[in-house]
Amino acid sequence: MTTSVDVVVVGGGQAGLAAGYYLRRAGHRFVILDDQPAAGGAWPRMWPSLRLFSPSQFAALPGWPMPLWRDGFPPASHVVDYLTAYEQRYDLPIERPVRVRGVRRDGRDLLVDAGTRMWRARRVISATGTWQQPFWPIYPGVRTFTGRQLHTVDYRTPDEFAGADVVVVGGGNSAAQLVAEISTVASTTWVTTRPPRFLPDGVDGRALFEVASQRAAALAAGRPDPGGVAALGDIVMVPEVLAARERGDLTAQPMFDHLTPDGIAWGERRQHADVVVWATGFRPALAHLRPLRLRGHDGAVPTAGTRALKEPHLQLLGYGDWTGPGSATILGVGRTAKSAVTELELDFDD
């Protein structure tokens, strides 16, 4: 069965909902295809204690503020409740669970293949995020280590590591929050490829969004790139991370050279480990775009703004700065969603 629409949005998380808001407002016939069983995008699968980096009033999708959280930075469950209510509030046409197998060109249109169902669309917005594509770096000894290895996506609570020797790998916000939490119950070693860079106390997602906004304005005006949020630092000092610093648990070691059967090693210096947690980030989940053969030699999809250069009927939304400054954040994705839908409207007018 094939259904014809103006636009198919692949992905029902925060980026897909932001796109849906503007598509609804513009009057397009569209559908959002989400491969998850319920609302919330990746947020229901994140560990329960994870917090946003901004107060709720600075973490809203377009049109409707996130309800206030009583205690500073909202947890993942609050975000799930908000995203669930958001799609209901705007009556967004979401079908789930629908796993898109591929997107391919067919004449002037794009065909979105979900196995037993097919959608024909004038345009497609890919908004699948990164959570389904965790990055596991390969280090010598990784296959002979006899302890447990897990990625951020597998982590739930620190209780399962009580009394163990745990190594957390990674220099970003997730790694810092995991170190802060696990170090309350286990002997924890934090290793990073370069020294972690902490934002000043009190600087949170609001400041990061302002920097991203200034960068977007400069680029749009043709001015030199002033640099993104990375110039400020990487790690937001949420309360749990601040507490870990006060305990002395937030000191990072250089990255180890290799794993041993029972731990890690820097040259001849060895350290025992029962668990290695790889908080090493993610890559864009773009398997559904393989039929279009869009990736360059570096594995990325070349874009101009959100539009794929090799397939102008495709927009990529919410994957990070390469699809718009701040576009991987709840607050920032609204701006790039608006510009993506505006481009679609101009195309349709032509």
Side-chain angles (χ1 to χ4, degrees):
M1 182 174 65
T2 300
T3 303
S4 294
V5 293
D6 293 334
V7 184
V8 169
V9 180
V10 184
Q14 61 201 37
L17 298 187
Y21 172 85
Y22 287 110
L23 289 167
R24 171 71 81 199
R25 196 170 72 168
H28 292 299
R29 294 180 304 119
F30 71 99
V31 64
I32 300 174
L33 306 179
D34 187 22
D35 67 354
Q36 297 304 302
W43 288 95
R45 293 171 288 159
M46 296 183 184
W47 65 95
S49 63
L50 176 67
R51 290 179 178 268
L52 287 179
F53 305 141
S54 303
S56 53
Q57 61 266 40
F58 295 96
L61 289 175
W64 187 44
M66 181 183 290
L68 294 177
W69 179 251
R70 60 184 178 273
D71 183 26
F73 300 91
S77 60
H78 188 67
V79 181
V80 173
D81 291 343
Y82 170 65
L83 296 180
T84 301
Y86 187 92
E87 64 179 56
Q88 295 170 352
R89 179 185 182 91
Y90 293 108
D91 191 27
L92 298 178
I94 301 177
E95 299 204 25
R96 61 167 59 96
V98 176
R99 178 173 294 278
V100 173
R101 296 182 176 182
V103 179
R104 67 177 186 270
R105 172 67 88 146
D106 184 44
R108 297 181 60 185
D109 297 329
L110 292 174
L111 286 180
V112 180
D113 180 4
T116 58
R117 299 186 63 185
M118 192 90 68
W119 283 264
R120 177 180 295 275
R122 297 173 66 185
R123 300 293 186 270
V124 168
I125 297 176
S126 180
T128 48
T130 61
W131 190 258
Q132 297 184 61
Q133 199 67 32
F135 174 64
W136 292 76
I138 301 298
Y139 276 84
V142 70
R143 291 184 174 86
T144 58
F145 175 65
T146 58
R148 181 184 176 193
Q149 298 185 63
L150 67 154
H151 193 275
T152 310
V153 295
D154 306 307
Y155 177 80
R156 301 306 294 170
T157 73
D159 298 340
E160 59 185 308
F161 308 125
D165 292 331
V166 180
V167 175
V168 178
V169 183
N173 281 288
S174 293
Q177 288 197 31
L178 293 183
V179 169
E181 190 164 284
I182 294 172
S183 62
T184 62
V185 299
S187 173
T188 307
T189 300
W190 186 17
V191 297
T192 61
T193 56
R194 59 178 174 79
R197 302 186 308 156
F198 301 99
L199 288 162
D201 296 2
V203 174
D204 57 31
R206 290 169 290 186
L208 301 183
F209 181 71
E210 289 173 3
V211 171
S213 298
Q214 292 167 4
R215 180 170 185 253
L219 295 176
R223 298 194 298 270
D225 189 343
V229 297
L232 294 178
D234 300 312
I235 298 171
V236 178
M237 302 305 290
V238 297
E240 293 81 0
V241 176
L242 282 170
R245 186 184 67 187
E246 295 304 310
R247 297 194 307 267
D249 291 333
L250 213 58
T251 301
Q253 302 295 321
M255 188 63 197
F256 51 76
D257 300 319
H258 61 278
L259 291 91
T260 65
D262 62 353
I264 57 176
W266 299 263
E268 297 300 317
R269 181 166 70 92
R270 298 190 173 208
Q271 179 174 312
H272 178 264
D274 300 300
V275 181
V276 176
V277 182
W278 297 93
T280 45
F282 302 83
R283 298 293 183 266
L286 300 176
H288 59 293
L289 300 181
R290 284 175 186 159
L292 295 174
R293 299 182 178 180
L294 302 177
R295 296 200 182 204
H297 295 299
D298 60 355
V301 175
T303 58
T306 60
R307 188 191 295 267
L309 292 179
K310 296 180 181 178
E311 177 44 79
H313 290 187
L314 173 72
Q315 306 272 353
L316 294 103
L317 180 63
Y319 295 100
D321 281 358
W322 63 287
T323 55
S327 73
T329 66
I330 296 176
L331 185 61
V333 74
R335 177 175 51 214
T336 44
K338 182 178 182 180
S339 64
V341 173
T342 299
E343 280 197 54
L344 294 178
E345 293 181 51
L346 293 174
D347 289 345
F348 289 164
D349 289 342
D350 293 340

